[in-house]
Amino acid sequence: MSAFGFIAALAWAYGGWTALSLGMDRHYADIHGRGKEPQQSERNLYRMLGTLALLATYAISVKLQGWTVGSVLCLGTMTAGALLLVLLLTYAPQRTVFAGKLAVGLAILLGAVWLFN
């Protein structure tokens, strides 16, 4: 298993969960201030991006370990990404969006290094 691939999958998982949480009223309000709600088009965009990021996590995990072990690796990776997001939403919700963007940038960079290495 490649470290670049695993970290890319973890970063995609974190970015995906971040996008999905921004599509929810409560988390959006925690990040942007009380009483704020995303527009319906914005909510749909966050949900679509989050789903695509979690699918990328699954694809990388399967590529790393095959269908059987890769599926289990994907679940563990998504759990670790969700735990990181829960901790950040709890203790520093304003930093969540920046950390999500940073994670996706890191995922793209490490994914490219992993694929072309």
Side-chain angles (χ1 to χ4, degrees):
M1 180 167 72
S2 169
F4 288 124
F6 175 73
I7 295 171
L10 182 61
W12 276 119
Y14 177 80
W17 289 125
T18 301
L20 286 173
S21 72
L22 285 171
M24 300 172 69
D25 292 337
R26 177 182 174 136
H27 297 305
Y28 189 89
D30 287 344
I31 293 167
H32 296 291
R34 182 169 280 217
K36 303 277 185 172
E37 289 184 4
Q39 300 294 326
Q40 186 62 37
S41 60
E42 193 176 14
R43 181 176 294 144
N44 290 338
L45 177 68
Y46 286 139
R47 288 177 181 171
M48 181 187 64
L49 292 175
T51 302
L52 290 175
L54 293 179
L55 286 173
T57 302
Y58 185 71
I60 291 171
S61 299
V62 167
K63 178 92 167 120
L64 282 171
Q65 293 290 325
W67 288 103
T68 53
V69 179
S71 298
V72 176
L73 176 66
C74 176
L75 292 174
T77 304
M78 282 200 250
T79 302
L83 180 62
L84 291 172
L85 178 63
V86 165
L87 291 173
L88 195 62
L89 276 173
T90 302
Y91 295 109
Q94 292 78 20
R95 296 181 184 170
T96 304
V97 175
F98 174 74
K101 289 178 183 178
L102 185 67
V104 169
L106 181 69
I108 291 170
L109 178 68
L110 289 177
V113 167
W114 172 65
L115 281 176
F116 297 115
N117 191 0

